[in-house]
Amino acid sequence: MGAQPLTLPRAFYDRPVLAVARDLLGALVDRRTVEGTVTLRLTEVEAYDGAADPGSHAFRGRTPRNATMFGPPGHLYVYFTYGMHWCMNAVCAPAGTAAAVLLRAGEVCGGRQLARSRRPGVRAERDLARGPARMTRALGVDRSLDGTDLVDPTAPLRIRPGRPVADDLVVVGPRTGVGGDAAAYPYRFALLGEPTVSPYRAAARRPSLPDSAHARRND
DNA sequence: CGGCCGATCCACT
DNA sequence: GTGGATCGGCCGA
C-alpha cells in the first residue's frame, strides 16, 4: 500500500480490499442530481473483507440485500439500517468475493449550499458528511443508487482520484460499531488530523435481559 | 467531550 | 421476533 494515485477503473480490481480502502482516502466523490453536484473528499473509510470477515454483511452469504456486494467491482452498494439511515460502499475485488469499502466520512469541497440544504440544522461545516449516514444524506444517496457504476462518466455518483495521500498521514484502527470476533481488525482508515473524521464508537453492547424476559409464560 | 437514550423499519432467523 | 457497518438530543463533568 503506497501513496500512489488512485487510478480508475483498475483501482477496484485484483487488489486486496485493504489496499483499495487505503487508496480511497483523499479520493473525490461526485454526486450529480438535477439540483447540482456535491463533491467531497474522502477522509475516513472501512474495509469489509467479504465472506472471510465476521463483521461484513457478506459473512453469512448472499442475500437479496447484499447482492450488489457479490457483483462486479467498481459499483456502489447501498444499504438501509437502523430504520432510517442509508450507508454506501464501494464494491471491490472480483465478482463473487464480496469485498467492499464503507465510505464513512468526507470533507465537502463542492456544492456546499446543496449539501447544506440536505442537512438542515447542521452548524459546523465539518459535520455535513462526518459519518456514513450523514454522508449519504448530504449527497442525496438512497437505495435507488444501489448498483451504480462508479467509473461510468455519466453515472449520478462517481469516484475519481484526488491528491495522493502520504503514508504518514494515514491512521489505521478498529472499525466503528463492529463487535464480535472482528472487533479488533484494523480495517478502519482515516486521515490524520482531519476534523471531518467521525468519532470512534465501539459496538453497542446489548444489555443482557433479565431472566424474567426469557421466562415463558405458562398461564 | 463522553455517556445514555429513543427513533424507526427492514432484512433475516 | 430481533437487532442493526447510526444519529441527534440531552445530560453531567
Side-chain angles (χ1 to χ4, degrees):
Chain A
M1 300 190 280
Q4 70 268 30
L6 187 73
T7 54
L8 298 173
R10 292 279 309 170
F12 296 111
Y13 292 76
D14 302 324
R15 303 177 66 220
V17 64
L18 294 181
V20 177
R22 186 257 176 258
D23 287 340
L24 279 173
L25 289 178
L28 303 174
V29 176
D30 295 314
R31 167 61 172 139
R32 180 178 51 81
T33 64
V34 292
E35 307 161 280
T37 298
V38 172
T39 298
L40 64 78
R41 172 174 165 263
L42 294 174
T43 58
E44 182 193 356
V45 300
E46 285 177 357
Y48 287 84
D49 198 4
D53 181 357
S56 170
H57 286 170
F59 185 61
R60 296 179 200 291
R62 181 176 183 146
T63 67
R65 176 172 76 154
N66 66 22
T68 302
M69 280 186 92
F70 287 82
H75 290 248
L76 196 70
Y77 165 50
V78 180
Y79 69 90
F80 183 71
T81 192
Y82 288 103
M84 64 196 92
H85 299 305
W86 299 99
C87 295
M88 66 181 189
N89 298 252
V91 175
C92 56
T97 55
V101 177
L102 173 68
L103 310 183
R104 285 195 58 88
E107 170 195 8
V108 174
C109 48
R112 189 156 298 169
Q113 186 177 338
L114 178 53
R116 276 203 172 277
S117 73
R118 292 176 174 140
R119 299 266 296 132
V122 169
R123 308 281 198 110
E125 191 70 27
R126 71 177 194 171
D127 287 334
L128 286 173
R130 190 187 189 210
R134 293 166 170 180
M135 176 189 291
T136 57
R137 186 169 281 283
L139 294 177
V141 168
D142 63 20
R143 161 135 290 169
S144 68
L145 289 182
D146 185 44
T148 295
D149 183 346
L150 295 172
V151 299
D152 175 355
T154 68
L157 188 147
R158 282 178 297 160
I159 298 180
R160 60 188 166 92
R163 227 184 134 57
V165 170
D167 282 340
D168 61 2
L169 292 181
V170 176
V171 180
V172 182
R175 292 173 293 191
T176 303
V178 171
D181 294 338
Y185 290 15
Y187 284 5
R188 177 176 185 253
F189 298 80
L191 288 179
L192 182 65
E194 279 290 335
T196 54
V197 172
S198 67
Y200 172 77
R201 298 179 205 201
R205 278 166 233 184
R206 293 188 288 287
S208 54
L209 295 172
D211 287 352
S212 60
H214 293 295
R216 290 196 40 209
R217 304 173 60 109
N218 58 0
D219 51 305

PDB file of all heavy atoms in Angstrom, chain A residues 30-62:
ATOM      1  N   ASP A  30     -18.201  12.506  -6.564  1.00  0.00           N
ATOM      2  CA  ASP A  30     -19.096  13.483  -7.204  1.00  0.00           C
ATOM      3  C   ASP A  30     -20.503  12.914  -7.230  1.00  0.00           C
ATOM      4  O   ASP A  30     -20.730  11.819  -7.741  1.00  0.00           O
ATOM      5  CB  ASP A  30     -18.665  13.741  -8.661  1.00  0.00           C
ATOM      6  CG  ASP A  30     -17.316  14.404  -8.763  1.00  0.00           C
ATOM      7  OD1 ASP A  30     -17.076  15.371  -8.022  1.00  0.00           O
ATOM      8  OD2 ASP A  30     -16.496  13.936  -9.582  1.00  0.00           O
ATOM      9  N   ARG A  31     -21.432  13.665  -6.670  1.00  0.00           N
ATOM     10  CA  ARG A  31     -22.834  13.250  -6.689  1.00  0.00           C
ATOM     11  C   ARG A  31     -23.614  14.289  -7.495  1.00  0.00           C
ATOM     12  O   ARG A  31     -23.722  15.446  -7.095  1.00  0.00           O
ATOM     13  CB  ARG A  31     -23.365  13.160  -5.263  1.00  0.00           C
ATOM     14  CG  ARG A  31     -24.871  13.042  -5.138  1.00  0.00           C
ATOM     15  CD  ARG A  31     -25.423  11.801  -5.816  1.00  0.00           C
ATOM     16  NE  ARG A  31     -26.844  11.636  -5.501  1.00  0.00           N
ATOM     17  CZ  ARG A  31     -27.743  11.247  -6.407  1.00  0.00           C
ATOM     18  NH1 ARG A  31     -27.381  10.995  -7.657  1.00  0.00           N
ATOM     19  NH2 ARG A  31     -29.005  11.094  -6.049  1.00  0.00           N
ATOM     20  N   ARG A  32     -24.123  13.849  -8.632  1.00  0.00           N
ATOM     21  CA  ARG A  32     -24.804  14.766  -9.552  1.00  0.00           C
ATOM     22  C   ARG A  32     -26.311  14.517  -9.557  1.00  0.00           C
ATOM     23  O   ARG A  32     -26.764  13.379  -9.697  1.00  0.00           O
ATOM     24  CB  ARG A  32     -24.250  14.564 -10.963  1.00  0.00           C
ATOM     25  CG  ARG A  32     -24.852  15.432 -12.028  1.00  0.00           C
ATOM     26  CD  ARG A  32     -24.191  15.179 -13.385  1.00  0.00           C
ATOM     27  NE  ARG A  32     -24.156  13.758 -13.730  1.00  0.00           N
ATOM     28  CZ  ARG A  32     -25.193  13.101 -14.249  1.00  0.00           C
ATOM     29  NH1 ARG A  32     -26.328  13.731 -14.472  1.00  0.00           N
ATOM     30  NH2 ARG A  32     -25.104  11.815 -14.537  1.00  0.00           N
ATOM     31  N   THR A  33     -27.084  15.562  -9.350  1.00  0.00           N
ATOM     32  CA  THR A  33     -28.542  15.494  -9.478  1.00  0.00           C
ATOM     33  C   THR A  33     -28.998  16.699 -10.288  1.00  0.00           C
ATOM     34  O   THR A  33     -28.184  17.548 -10.666  1.00  0.00           O
ATOM     35  CB  THR A  33     -29.240  15.546  -8.096  1.00  0.00           C
ATOM     36  OG1 THR A  33     -28.960  16.817  -7.496  1.00  0.00           O
ATOM     37  CG2 THR A  33     -28.744  14.441  -7.181  1.00  0.00           C
ATOM     38  N   VAL A  34     -30.302  16.792 -10.524  1.00  0.00           N
ATOM     39  CA  VAL A  34     -30.822  17.951 -11.262  1.00  0.00           C
ATOM     40  C   VAL A  34     -30.592  19.230 -10.481  1.00  0.00           C
ATOM     41  O   VAL A  34     -30.517  20.324 -11.066  1.00  0.00           O
ATOM     42  CB  VAL A  34     -32.334  17.796 -11.561  1.00  0.00           C
ATOM     43  CG1 VAL A  34     -32.555  16.675 -12.560  1.00  0.00           C
ATOM     44  CG2 VAL A  34     -33.111  17.553 -10.285  1.00  0.00           C
ATOM     45  N   GLU A  35     -30.448  19.103  -9.164  1.00  0.00           N
ATOM     46  CA  GLU A  35     -30.240  20.296  -8.338  1.00  0.00           C
ATOM     47  C   GLU A  35     -28.818  20.805  -8.411  1.00  0.00           C
ATOM     48  O   GLU A  35     -28.550  21.946  -8.053  1.00  0.00           O
ATOM     49  CB  GLU A  35     -30.577  19.984  -6.879  1.00  0.00           C
ATOM     50  CG  GLU A  35     -31.943  19.376  -6.675  1.00  0.00           C
ATOM     51  CD  GLU A  35     -32.042  18.680  -5.329  1.00  0.00           C
ATOM     52  OE1 GLU A  35     -31.563  17.532  -5.218  1.00  0.00           O
ATOM     53  OE2 GLU A  35     -32.576  19.284  -4.398  1.00  0.00           O
ATOM     54  N   GLY A  36     -27.896  19.940  -8.830  1.00  0.00           N
ATOM     55  CA  GLY A  36     -26.499  20.343  -8.881  1.00  0.00           C
ATOM     56  C   GLY A  36     -25.597  19.194  -8.475  1.00  0.00           C
ATOM     57  O   GLY A  36     -26.042  18.049  -8.366  1.00  0.00           O
ATOM     58  N   THR A  37     -24.340  19.528  -8.264  1.00  0.00           N
ATOM     59  CA  THR A  37     -23.360  18.495  -7.928  1.00  0.00           C
ATOM     60  C   THR A  37     -22.705  18.808  -6.588  1.00  0.00           C
ATOM     61  O   THR A  37     -22.296  19.938  -6.344  1.00  0.00           O
ATOM     62  CB  THR A  37     -22.278  18.401  -9.011  1.00  0.00           C
ATOM     63  OG1 THR A  37     -22.887  18.029 -10.249  1.00  0.00           O
ATOM     64  CG2 THR A  37     -21.222  17.360  -8.648  1.00  0.00           C
ATOM     65  N   VAL A  38     -22.645  17.784  -5.738  1.00  0.00           N
ATOM     66  CA  VAL A  38     -21.886  17.900  -4.494  1.00  0.00           C
ATOM     67  C   VAL A  38     -20.626  17.060  -4.644  1.00  0.00           C
ATOM     68  O   VAL A  38     -20.686  15.910  -5.074  1.00  0.00           O
ATOM     69  CB  VAL A  38     -22.700  17.419  -3.273  1.00  0.00           C
ATOM     70  CG1 VAL A  38     -21.825  17.371  -2.023  1.00  0.00           C
ATOM     71  CG2 VAL A  38     -23.918  18.311  -3.055  1.00  0.00           C
ATOM     72  N   THR A  39     -19.485  17.642  -4.302  1.00  0.00           N
ATOM     73  CA  THR A  39     -18.222  16.914  -4.346  1.00  0.00           C
ATOM     74  C   THR A  39     -17.631  16.864  -2.951  1.00  0.00           C
ATOM     75  O   THR A  39     -17.643  17.865  -2.233  1.00  0.00           O
ATOM     76  CB  THR A  39     -17.229  17.620  -5.294  1.00  0.00           C
ATOM     77  OG1 THR A  39     -17.767  17.620  -6.618  1.00  0.00           O
ATOM     78  CG2 THR A  39     -15.878  16.897  -5.301  1.00  0.00           C
ATOM     79  N   LEU A  40     -17.161  15.690  -2.582  1.00  0.00           N
ATOM     80  CA  LEU A  40     -16.460  15.609  -1.299  1.00  0.00           C
ATOM     81  C   LEU A  40     -15.194  14.784  -1.406  1.00  0.00           C
ATOM     82  O   LEU A  40     -15.045  13.954  -2.287  1.00  0.00           O
ATOM     83  CB  LEU A  40     -17.379  15.111  -0.187  1.00  0.00           C
ATOM     84  CG  LEU A  40     -17.985  13.723  -0.201  1.00  0.00           C
ATOM     85  CD1 LEU A  40     -16.970  12.679   0.236  1.00  0.00           C
ATOM     86  CD2 LEU A  40     -19.156  13.705   0.768  1.00  0.00           C
ATOM     87  N   ARG A  41     -14.297  15.050  -0.487  1.00  0.00           N
ATOM     88  CA  ARG A  41     -13.010  14.364  -0.405  1.00  0.00           C
ATOM     89  C   ARG A  41     -13.072  13.385   0.748  1.00  0.00           C
ATOM     90  O   ARG A  41     -13.360  13.756   1.896  1.00  0.00           O
ATOM     91  CB  ARG A  41     -11.912  15.407  -0.169  1.00  0.00           C
ATOM     92  CG  ARG A  41     -10.544  14.874   0.119  1.00  0.00           C
ATOM     93  CD  ARG A  41      -9.550  16.049   0.167  1.00  0.00           C
ATOM     94  NE  ARG A  41      -8.289  15.671   0.783  1.00  0.00           N
ATOM     95  CZ  ARG A  41      -7.976  15.895   2.067  1.00  0.00           C
ATOM     96  NH1 ARG A  41      -8.832  16.501   2.855  1.00  0.00           N
ATOM     97  NH2 ARG A  41      -6.814  15.528   2.538  1.00  0.00           N
ATOM     98  N   LEU A  42     -12.801  12.102   0.458  1.00  0.00           N
ATOM     99  CA  LEU A  42     -12.929  11.065   1.482  1.00  0.00           C
ATOM    100  C   LEU A  42     -11.842  11.196   2.546  1.00  0.00           C
ATOM    101  O   LEU A  42     -10.654  11.273   2.233  1.00  0.00           O
ATOM    102  CB  LEU A  42     -12.869   9.679   0.842  1.00  0.00           C
ATOM    103  CG  LEU A  42     -14.042   9.326  -0.086  1.00  0.00           C
ATOM    104  CD1 LEU A  42     -13.797   7.981  -0.767  1.00  0.00           C
ATOM    105  CD2 LEU A  42     -15.356   9.315   0.676  1.00  0.00           C
ATOM    106  N   THR A  43     -12.267  11.192   3.803  1.00  0.00           N
ATOM    107  CA  THR A  43     -11.321  11.295   4.915  1.00  0.00           C
ATOM    108  C   THR A  43     -11.336  10.075   5.822  1.00  0.00           C
ATOM    109  O   THR A  43     -10.465   9.916   6.671  1.00  0.00           O
ATOM    110  CB  THR A  43     -11.632  12.531   5.775  1.00  0.00           C
ATOM    111  OG1 THR A  43     -12.976  12.437   6.255  1.00  0.00           O
ATOM    112  CG2 THR A  43     -11.464  13.810   4.979  1.00  0.00           C
ATOM    113  N   GLU A  44     -12.334   9.215   5.652  1.00  0.00           N
ATOM    114  CA  GLU A  44     -12.433   8.035   6.515  1.00  0.00           C
ATOM    115  C   GLU A  44     -13.194   6.926   5.804  1.00  0.00           C
ATOM    116  O   GLU A  44     -14.265   7.168   5.253  1.00  0.00           O
ATOM    117  CB  GLU A  44     -13.150   8.400   7.813  1.00  0.00           C
ATOM    118  CG  GLU A  44     -13.250   7.236   8.787  1.00  0.00           C
ATOM    119  CD  GLU A  44     -14.232   7.524   9.931  1.00  0.00           C
ATOM    120  OE1 GLU A  44     -14.760   8.654   9.986  1.00  0.00           O
ATOM    121  OE2 GLU A  44     -14.458   6.619  10.723  1.00  0.00           O
ATOM    122  N   VAL A  45     -12.636   5.716   5.818  1.00  0.00           N
ATOM    123  CA  VAL A  45     -13.273   4.557   5.176  1.00  0.00           C
ATOM    124  C   VAL A  45     -13.021   3.313   6.032  1.00  0.00           C
ATOM    125  O   VAL A  45     -12.145   3.305   6.898  1.00  0.00           O
ATOM    126  CB  VAL A  45     -12.722   4.314   3.751  1.00  0.00           C
ATOM    127  CG1 VAL A  45     -12.953   5.509   2.847  1.00  0.00           C
ATOM    128  CG2 VAL A  45     -11.237   3.953   3.799  1.00  0.00           C
ATOM    129  N   GLU A  46     -13.796   2.263   5.749  1.00  0.00           N
ATOM    130  CA  GLU A  46     -13.575   0.986   6.426  1.00  0.00           C
ATOM    131  C   GLU A  46     -13.656  -0.141   5.417  1.00  0.00           C
ATOM    132  O   GLU A  46     -14.544  -0.155   4.560  1.00  0.00           O
ATOM    133  CB  GLU A  46     -14.611   0.748   7.534  1.00  0.00           C
ATOM    134  CG  GLU A  46     -14.365   1.568   8.785  1.00  0.00           C
ATOM    135  CD  GLU A  46     -15.437   1.378   9.836  1.00  0.00           C
ATOM    136  OE1 GLU A  46     -16.414   0.660   9.584  1.00  0.00           O
ATOM    137  OE2 GLU A  46     -15.289   1.970  10.917  1.00  0.00           O
ATOM    138  N   ALA A  47     -12.751  -1.117   5.545  1.00  0.00           N
ATOM    139  CA  ALA A  47     -12.751  -2.271   4.643  1.00  0.00           C
ATOM    140  C   ALA A  47     -13.610  -3.393   5.224  1.00  0.00           C
ATOM    141  O   ALA A  47     -13.602  -3.635   6.432  1.00  0.00           O
ATOM    142  CB  ALA A  47     -11.324  -2.775   4.439  1.00  0.00           C
ATOM    143  N   TYR A  48     -14.323  -4.074   4.346  1.00  0.00           N
ATOM    144  CA  TYR A  48     -15.118  -5.256   4.729  1.00  0.00           C
ATOM    145  C   TYR A  48     -14.740  -6.374   3.783  1.00  0.00           C
ATOM    146  O   TYR A  48     -14.988  -6.306   2.583  1.00  0.00           O
ATOM    147  CB  TYR A  48     -16.620  -4.923   4.710  1.00  0.00           C
ATOM    148  CG  TYR A  48     -16.984  -4.058   5.887  1.00  0.00           C
ATOM    149  CD1 TYR A  48     -16.817  -2.674   5.831  1.00  0.00           C
ATOM    150  CD2 TYR A  48     -17.396  -4.614   7.084  1.00  0.00           C
ATOM    151  CE1 TYR A  48     -17.084  -1.878   6.932  1.00  0.00           C
ATOM    152  CE2 TYR A  48     -17.668  -3.835   8.200  1.00  0.00           C
ATOM    153  CZ  TYR A  48     -17.512  -2.469   8.111  1.00  0.00           C
ATOM    154  OH  TYR A  48     -17.756  -1.682   9.208  1.00  0.00           O
ATOM    155  N   ASP A  49     -14.120  -7.407   4.367  1.00  0.00           N
ATOM    156  CA  ASP A  49     -13.423  -8.389   3.542  1.00  0.00           C
ATOM    157  C   ASP A  49     -14.254  -9.637   3.237  1.00  0.00           C
ATOM    158  O   ASP A  49     -13.832 -10.766   3.504  1.00  0.00           O
ATOM    159  CB  ASP A  49     -12.110  -8.772   4.238  1.00  0.00           C
ATOM    160  CG  ASP A  49     -11.134  -9.439   3.275  1.00  0.00           C
ATOM    161  OD1 ASP A  49     -11.449  -9.530   2.081  1.00  0.00           O
ATOM    162  OD2 ASP A  49     -10.068  -9.878   3.744  1.00  0.00           O
ATOM    163  N   GLY A  50     -15.427  -9.402   2.691  1.00  0.00           N
ATOM    164  CA  GLY A  50     -16.229 -10.485   2.150  1.00  0.00           C
ATOM    165  C   GLY A  50     -16.585 -11.591   3.125  1.00  0.00           C
ATOM    166  O   GLY A  50     -16.767 -11.368   4.327  1.00  0.00           O
ATOM    167  N   ALA A  51     -16.673 -12.800   2.611  1.00  0.00           N
ATOM    168  CA  ALA A  51     -17.149 -13.942   3.387  1.00  0.00           C
ATOM    169  C   ALA A  51     -16.185 -14.321   4.501  1.00  0.00           C
ATOM    170  O   ALA A  51     -16.556 -15.024   5.441  1.00  0.00           O
ATOM    171  CB  ALA A  51     -17.375 -15.136   2.465  1.00  0.00           C
ATOM    172  N   ALA A  52     -14.925 -13.850   4.446  1.00  0.00           N
ATOM    173  CA  ALA A  52     -13.935 -14.201   5.460  1.00  0.00           C
ATOM    174  C   ALA A  52     -14.029 -13.283   6.677  1.00  0.00           C
ATOM    175  O   ALA A  52     -13.367 -13.514   7.683  1.00  0.00           O
ATOM    176  CB  ALA A  52     -12.532 -14.127   4.864  1.00  0.00           C
ATOM    177  N   ASP A  53     -14.838 -12.249   6.592  1.00  0.00           N
ATOM    178  CA  ASP A  53     -14.864 -11.196   7.601  1.00  0.00           C
ATOM    179  C   ASP A  53     -16.153 -11.254   8.424  1.00  0.00           C
ATOM    180  O   ASP A  53     -17.228 -10.953   7.909  1.00  0.00           O
ATOM    181  CB  ASP A  53     -14.744  -9.849   6.863  1.00  0.00           C
ATOM    182  CG  ASP A  53     -14.740  -8.665   7.800  1.00  0.00           C
ATOM    183  OD1 ASP A  53     -14.888  -8.843   9.018  1.00  0.00           O
ATOM    184  OD2 ASP A  53     -14.597  -7.536   7.286  1.00  0.00           O
ATOM    185  N   PRO A  54     -16.043 -11.612   9.709  1.00  0.00           N
ATOM    186  CA  PRO A  54     -17.250 -11.719  10.542  1.00  0.00           C
ATOM    187  C   PRO A  54     -18.002 -10.403  10.676  1.00  0.00           C
ATOM    188  O   PRO A  54     -19.173 -10.395  11.047  1.00  0.00           O
ATOM    189  CB  PRO A  54     -16.707 -12.169  11.898  1.00  0.00           C
ATOM    190  CG  PRO A  54     -15.346 -12.700  11.628  1.00  0.00           C
ATOM    191  CD  PRO A  54     -14.823 -11.958  10.439  1.00  0.00           C
ATOM    192  N   GLY A  55     -17.340  -9.295  10.388  1.00  0.00           N
ATOM    193  CA  GLY A  55     -18.005  -8.003  10.512  1.00  0.00           C
ATOM    194  C   GLY A  55     -18.736  -7.583   9.260  1.00  0.00           C
ATOM    195  O   GLY A  55     -19.408  -6.547   9.242  1.00  0.00           O
ATOM    196  N   SER A  56     -18.618  -8.374   8.215  1.00  0.00           N
ATOM    197  CA  SER A  56     -19.184  -7.990   6.920  1.00  0.00           C
ATOM    198  C   SER A  56     -20.599  -8.506   6.715  1.00  0.00           C
ATOM    199  O   SER A  56     -20.947  -9.590   7.190  1.00  0.00           O
ATOM    200  CB  SER A  56     -18.299  -8.537   5.799  1.00  0.00           C
ATOM    201  OG  SER A  56     -18.925  -8.383   4.545  1.00  0.00           O
ATOM    202  N   HIS A  57     -21.392  -7.752   5.989  1.00  0.00           N
ATOM    203  CA  HIS A  57     -22.732  -8.215   5.623  1.00  0.00           C
ATOM    204  C   HIS A  57     -22.663  -9.494   4.796  1.00  0.00           C
ATOM    205  O   HIS A  57     -23.632 -10.233   4.722  1.00  0.00           O
ATOM    206  CB  HIS A  57     -23.464  -7.144   4.805  1.00  0.00           C
ATOM    207  CG  HIS A  57     -23.921  -5.981   5.625  1.00  0.00           C
ATOM    208  ND1 HIS A  57     -24.419  -4.828   5.060  1.00  0.00           N
ATOM    209  CD2 HIS A  57     -23.947  -5.790   6.970  1.00  0.00           C
ATOM    210  CE1 HIS A  57     -24.750  -3.969   6.026  1.00  0.00           C
ATOM    211  NE2 HIS A  57     -24.457  -4.523   7.175  1.00  0.00           N
ATOM    212  N   ALA A  58     -21.527  -9.733   4.177  1.00  0.00           N
ATOM    213  CA  ALA A  58     -21.397 -10.897   3.294  1.00  0.00           C
ATOM    214  C   ALA A  58     -21.011 -12.160   4.053  1.00  0.00           C
ATOM    215  O   ALA A  58     -20.987 -13.245   3.487  1.00  0.00           O
ATOM    216  CB  ALA A  58     -20.349 -10.621   2.215  1.00  0.00           C
ATOM    217  N   PHE A  59     -20.735 -12.025   5.337  1.00  0.00           N
ATOM    218  CA  PHE A  59     -20.229 -13.154   6.117  1.00  0.00           C
ATOM    219  C   PHE A  59     -21.189 -14.337   6.109  1.00  0.00           C
ATOM    220  O   PHE A  59     -20.790 -15.485   6.069  1.00  0.00           O
ATOM    221  CB  PHE A  59     -19.957 -12.710   7.552  1.00  0.00           C
ATOM    222  CG  PHE A  59     -19.331 -13.770   8.407  1.00  0.00           C
ATOM    223  CD1 PHE A  59     -18.084 -14.310   8.083  1.00  0.00           C
ATOM    224  CD2 PHE A  59     -19.963 -14.224   9.559  1.00  0.00           C
ATOM    225  CE1 PHE A  59     -17.496 -15.285   8.882  1.00  0.00           C
ATOM    226  CE2 PHE A  59     -19.379 -15.194  10.360  1.00  0.00           C
ATOM    227  CZ  PHE A  59     -18.145 -15.727  10.020  1.00  0.00           C
ATOM    228  N   ARG A  60     -22.472 -14.075   6.149  1.00  0.00           N
ATOM    229  CA  ARG A  60     -23.448 -15.157   6.178  1.00  0.00           C
ATOM    230  C   ARG A  60     -24.001 -15.475   4.803  1.00  0.00           C
ATOM    231  O   ARG A  60     -25.085 -16.038   4.689  1.00  0.00           O
ATOM    232  CB  ARG A  60     -24.579 -14.808   7.138  1.00  0.00           C
ATOM    233  CG  ARG A  60     -24.059 -14.685   8.549  1.00  0.00           C
ATOM    234  CD  ARG A  60     -25.127 -14.319   9.549  1.00  0.00           C
ATOM    235  NE  ARG A  60     -24.536 -13.768  10.757  1.00  0.00           N
ATOM    236  CZ  ARG A  60     -23.817 -14.464  11.628  1.00  0.00           C
ATOM    237  NH1 ARG A  60     -23.595 -15.734  11.442  1.00  0.00           N
ATOM    238  NH2 ARG A  60     -23.307 -13.885  12.701  1.00  0.00           N
ATOM    239  N   GLY A  61     -23.257 -15.095   3.804  1.00  0.00           N
ATOM    240  CA  GLY A  61     -23.653 -15.467   2.448  1.00  0.00           C
ATOM    241  C   GLY A  61     -24.503 -14.430   1.746  1.00  0.00           C
ATOM    242  O   GLY A  61     -24.844 -13.384   2.304  1.00  0.00           O
ATOM    243  N   ARG A  62     -24.816 -14.727   0.529  1.00  0.00           N
ATOM    244  CA  ARG A  62     -25.547 -13.794  -0.316  1.00  0.00           C
ATOM    245  C   ARG A  62     -27.028 -13.753   0.044  1.00  0.00           C
ATOM    246  O   ARG A  62     -27.643 -14.780   0.283  1.00  0.00           O
ATOM    247  CB  ARG A  62     -25.386 -14.242  -1.769  1.00  0.00           C
ATOM    248  CG  ARG A  62     -26.065 -13.353  -2.771  1.00  0.00           C
ATOM    249  CD  ARG A  62     -25.743 -13.844  -4.174  1.00  0.00           C
ATOM    250  NE  ARG A  62     -26.320 -12.968  -5.163  1.00  0.00           N
ATOM    251  CZ  ARG A  62     -25.751 -12.712  -6.331  1.00  0.00           C
ATOM    252  NH1 ARG A  62     -24.602 -13.277  -6.638  1.00  0.00           N
ATOM    253  NH2 ARG A  62     -26.319 -11.907  -7.178  1.00  0.00           N
TER     254      ARG A  62
END
